[in-house]
Amino acid sequence: MGFGGFRKDRKALPRPLRLAARNPRQVIFGLGITPPATPRNTPLAIIPLPFNQTGTPMADFNKILDAGDVDGGIINVVIEIPAGSNHKIEWKRKIGALMLDRVEPLIFAKPTNYGFIPQTLDEDGDELDALIITDTPLPTGIYMQARVIGVMKFVDDGEVDDKIVVVPADDRQTGDAIKTLADLPAQLIKQIEFHFNNYKALKKPGSTKVDHWGDIEEAKQVIRDSQQRWKQQ
């Protein structure tokens, strides 16, 4: 297909690219690929777009999602870090993109998947964090419906930085067997607590502390409070 074919075939493109392709001289390629020049076109401006791991333009999750059915205990969660990764990937709200903030020591790879709940703000000014328990790692940049099972009350360098603990809302591997924190292996709880008490120990010893683990109702209230902060920002 020649470059001029983008005009007639743009319906096959994802919507953000299709809209840009109305004028084939101004097609936006987030992947940084420029078609060969032809007499019909002039050089193109390459405008980077946030893309997920499938090559699809990434949405601003805070614009297309809310926190979900908090009272019913089923919420929306966006995955930032897969379980087992030492890459500290963070959602940057102001630009609507995921960023590699830093690389942690391998000994402090995340014991669970890690993400955030859209349209919430914790007391530290960031979206409310979530720990997502699954048998295998989840990829960065997807969102899921998750069942709230509790909360890890956490303090990071003097700031409240709570973590809502969730599992997939539809888990056919376990038959939705995990309903509360009590259904998790005690050893996993110990590993999570050890991780968050120590993952900054090489740089700032003693700067993080797991205060306590809270039940589903306490977790829901933490989410509601974070939703209120979002609305007031």
Side-chain angles (χ1 to χ4, degrees), residues 60-98:
D60 185 334
F61 294 106
N62 284 317
K63 293 182 179 179
I64 65 171
L65 297 171
D66 58 18
D69 180 9
V70 178
D71 291 340
I74 304 297
I75 63 172
N76 294 317
V77 175
V78 178
I79 307 302
E80 295 169 298
I81 308 172
S85 175
N86 66 322
H87 294 162
K88 185 63 171 75
I89 300 169
E90 295 185 349
W91 175 253
K92 296 302 182 181
R93 181 171 65 254
K94 291 183 179 180
I95 61 173
L98 289 159

Side-chain angles (χ1 to χ4, degrees), residues 176-216:
D176 295 329
I178 302 174
K179 305 289 189 183
T180 71
L181 290 175
D183 297 322
L184 295 178
Q187 184 66 9
L188 177 59
I189 295 291
K190 291 179 182 178
Q191 290 173 357
I192 295 171
E193 187 165 335
F194 181 86
H195 171 84
F196 282 98
N197 278 335
N198 294 281
Y199 78 110
K200 292 187 176 180
L202 294 179
K203 188 172 182 180
K204 298 180 70 175
S207 61
T208 61
K209 178 177 175 56
V210 176
D211 185 73
H212 70 271
W213 296 84
D215 62 13
I216 294 171

Side-chain angles (χ1 to χ4, degrees), residues 81-225:
I81 308 172
S85 175
N86 66 322
H87 294 162
K88 185 63 171 75
I89 300 169
E90 295 185 349
W91 175 253
K92 296 302 182 181
R93 181 171 65 254
K94 291 183 179 180
I95 61 173
L98 289 159
M99 171 188 173
L100 177 62
D101 183 72
R102 62 185 181 272
V103 177
E104 301 281 14
L106 276 171
I107 57 172
F108 293 128
K110 283 288 179 280
T112 71
N113 304 286
Y114 192 91
F116 70 91
I117 303 169
Q119 294 191 17
T120 62
L121 285 180
D122 203 355
E123 293 183 40
D124 65 352
D126 293 328
E127 285 87 350
L128 183 59
D129 296 326
L131 306 179
I132 306 98
I133 311 295
T134 58
D135 290 332
T136 56
L138 297 172
T140 299
I142 67 168
Y143 88 93
M144 61 181 286
Q145 290 191 317
R147 183 185 310 279
V148 176
I149 65 170
V151 59
M152 187 184 78
K153 298 291 292 181
F154 182 64
V155 178
D156 184 353
D157 204 17
E159 293 184 326
V160 173
D161 191 11
D162 296 333
K163 318 293 181 188
I164 303 298
V165 187
V166 303
V167 295
D170 183 5
D171 190 345
R172 302 177 193 187
Q173 171 68 17
T174 67
D176 295 329
I178 302 174
K179 305 289 189 183
T180 71
L181 290 175
D183 297 322
L184 295 178
Q187 184 66 9
L188 177 59
I189 295 291
K190 291 179 182 178
Q191 290 173 357
I192 295 171
E193 187 165 335
F194 181 86
H195 171 84
F196 282 98
N197 278 335
N198 294 281
Y199 78 110
K200 292 187 176 180
L202 294 179
K203 188 172 182 180
K204 298 180 70 175
S207 61
T208 61
K209 178 177 175 56
V210 176
D211 185 73
H212 70 271
W213 296 84
D215 62 13
I216 294 171
E217 289 307 312
E218 185 172 356
K220 289 179 181 179
Q221 189 57 52
V222 170
I223 300 172
R224 293 187 195 104
D225 292 343

